[in-house]
Amino acid sequence: MDLVNSILNDTQEKDLRKSTVVNKDVEVDLGTLLTLDYNNLDLKAFRSQPEQYLKSLTRDNVQILINKIWELPTERVDETIVAKLPKQEFVLPRSRQIPKPKPLTKWQQYAKEKGIKSNKKNKSKLKWDEELQKWIPTFGYKRNKAMEQKEWLVEINDESKAMEDPFAATKAAKEERKSKNELQRLRNIAKAKNIKLPKVGLPTREHFPDSQQLSQAMTIARTSTASLGKFQDRLPKEKDAKGIAKQVPGMKRKAEEVPQNLQDEKKRNANLADNILKNKTKIFREDFSVPKTKVAKTEKKKGKKVAKSKGAKKPKGGRGQRDMRLRAGGRKRR
């Protein structure tokens, strides 16, 4: 009988679960789900079994936090119990700012006001095509390839458009739609950042508060042609903006006045020298600044040193140097 009891005691599963009631003084901040334990550590238990001691300490602190959460008012949302957390008391440091919600676009704001809801989640990404007899995606590059297979032949009903390329017209219309969408995207960004954009037509005073800026814009727009505005008509009493000739390449500049006296000429030359010296670009080429010289190699020939010029040709008879010692052959007779 004792043997049976001992076997039963050994095989019986031990209940390792602890009680949910923990008597301990800790500081709890439910807004940030934070528990601060300022109690002293048990050094003897920590030194003997450090891992087990830290696990039990963490378990007790987490249990206190969960008990505090269950004391909060709760409600059921979609078959789940949700607790309403209070405002946080302990300020946690953040490495980055909290992301701000994206501003609504013009269409999203209109749909929100009118109560229009999109069913993108319920829509399928594939659609059956009766002509091709296969499933094609509703968007993406595979859809474009499928449409090319489907629309390989285009019927033209208007005789005046018989000479036009329908595929080129379709491609141009697509590029125009893309440009329009990109312009609308940029407008949405400007609207979100409270940037005023000019309306269709002439810009307003808000964009060109100074008359000089408006004249500069007009001059640049007129000279932005292949002929630099030579054949462009001018407005009545229109003049070139001051200081714009330096910015527009090829535009004629007004000739400087002739200096009246010696001091003006000296001052102008001094300013010119200062501008050249302040400029960091190299004025002279390196290969023309200082002539490079090469040292001629010497070779010994029967106890005498003779200069050996690299690449020099042997002078012919009657030509080249007139030194009799270095000439080859005699004097040419006629």
Side-chain angles (χ1 to χ4, degrees), residues 176-222:
E176 187 176 355
R177 289 195 301 270
K178 288 170 64 176
S179 302
K180 185 178 179 181
N181 293 335
E182 181 66 16
L183 178 61
Q184 191 61 37
R185 186 183 71 84
L186 296 175
R187 282 180 176 174
N188 290 330
I189 294 173
K191 184 181 178 182
K193 295 184 178 181
N194 296 326
I195 300 174
K196 294 183 180 180
L197 295 176
K199 298 180 181 179
V200 178
L202 293 175
T204 59
R205 292 183 179 180
E206 297 175 354
H207 301 89
F208 297 103
D210 190 3
S211 60
Q212 186 179 359
Q213 295 181 6
L214 182 59
S215 63
Q216 288 180 359
M218 292 173 61
T219 306
I220 292 173
R222 184 173 51 79

